[in-house]
Amino acid sequence: MISGDLFPASTGHAVQDEPLCEGAMVLRGFALAEQLRLLQAIETIVAQAPFRHLITPGGRRMSVGMTNAGPLGWVSDRRGYRYAALDPDSGKPWPAMPEAFLQLAGAAAAQAGFAGFVPDACLINRYQTGNQLTLHQDRDERDFDQPIVSVSLGVPAVFLFGGLQRSDRAQRVALAHGDVVVWGGPARLRYHGVLPLRPAQHQALGHSRINLTFRRAG
Ligand code: SIN
Ligand code: FE2
């Protein structure tokens, strides 16, 4: 369990920078001050583009529920991984990127040393008890000069932050509600993943964890 004094959520302003390696940093509590706006925006997005379980190119159903906001959305099916302007389930554009998302992602990137980050894609991942994301690289984007900003909400999780080879030993990083991880530059293609979500309860999100992953895809 994440202890209250390590992450003083009660102040709503706790920000601590915790480097993971060159180009990667955990910003503890960075999203807390905006949590209500973020949660409301997620509700609006999910009402238009519900979470769904994508199929991997290998035919496996992903346990993590996914949806997107912004001009581009990350999708997977038997044909491969890619970014698409239209939600394949509805045939309509993905819900717009909320202003609160853009502001938070830009501010977190700047805090980690990547000024001027303007994401065009926000992947929203929903983990329920037992769901995990195996080690992978984010490499479907056009330009690896732009960082990745990853926001954790709800139930805490253990984030795996590996190296540039899948076999490199991964650091285990406990991520709580409001924590933000940024990786870019020499860390942009590091392998990462999430261990199976342990049973826990969050006052706004129940048994779930929601992760917002911001990227410049196009
Ligand atoms: C991802 O790699 O897409 C998500 C990481 C996370 O959920 O923290
Ligand atoms: Fe990823």
Side-chain angles (χ1 to χ4, degrees):
M1 203 46 217
I2 308 296
S3 92
D5 42 56
L6 269 177
F7 311 113
S10 54
T11 67
H13 300 290
V15 176
Q16 288 167 263
D17 300 348
E18 210 176 285
L20 293 175
C21 69
E22 197 191 338
M25 198 176 274
V26 183
L27 307 174
R28 296 288 179 196
F30 195 89
L32 283 177
E34 291 300 318
Q35 57 177 310
L36 292 181
R37 282 172 77 200
L38 299 178
L39 292 169
Q40 279 168 9
I42 291 165
E43 247 180 62
T44 304
I45 291 162
V46 169
Q48 297 168 57
F51 288 113
R52 77 285 310 265
H53 297 276
L54 297 172
I55 304 298
T56 66
R60 206 173 45 83
R61 173 186 183 270
M62 297 185 73
S63 69
V64 176
M66 296 183 177
T67 187
N68 292 278
L72 291 171
W74 187 84
V75 293
S76 175
D77 60 20
R78 294 302 303 228
R79 290 184 293 143
Y81 304 128
R82 66 191 166 278
Y83 282 92
L86 303 181
D87 176 348
D89 282 9
S90 67
K92 294 195 290 199
W94 297 103
M97 180 88 74
E99 197 53 42
F101 281 22
L102 277 177
Q103 281 173 13
L104 177 74
Q111 173 80 14
F114 302 99
F117 178 55
V118 183
D120 58 8
C122 176
L123 172 66
I124 307 177
N125 293 310
R126 184 201 55 199
Y127 299 76
Q128 289 173 322
T129 308
N131 292 173
Q132 64 179 311
L133 200 60
T134 54
L135 276 182
H136 64 278
Q137 290 172 299
D138 287 9
R139 55 179 319 142
D140 302 317
E141 300 72 33
R142 185 168 296 162
D143 172 7
F144 298 143
D145 288 345
Q146 297 297 315
I148 292 167
V149 173
S150 175
V151 178
S152 292
L153 297 168
V155 165
V158 178
F159 182 62
L160 297 174
F161 192 69
L164 295 173
Q165 311 289 329
R166 188 185 295 277
S167 57
D168 290 344
R169 193 186 158 79
Q171 301 179 60
R172 291 176 172 222
V173 184
L175 294 180
H177 179 74
D179 290 347
V180 178
V181 187
V182 181
W183 64 100
R188 176 62 179 73
L189 289 174
R190 285 210 176 220
Y191 278 86
H192 58 279
V194 177
L195 288 183
L197 196 72
R198 307 253 275 287
Q201 182 80 31
H202 181 269
Q203 77 179 43
L205 292 176
H207 295 289
S208 305
R209 169 178 186 262
I210 288 184
N211 164 265
L212 307 176
T213 296
F214 294 96
R215 308 188 189 100
R216 183 88 204 171

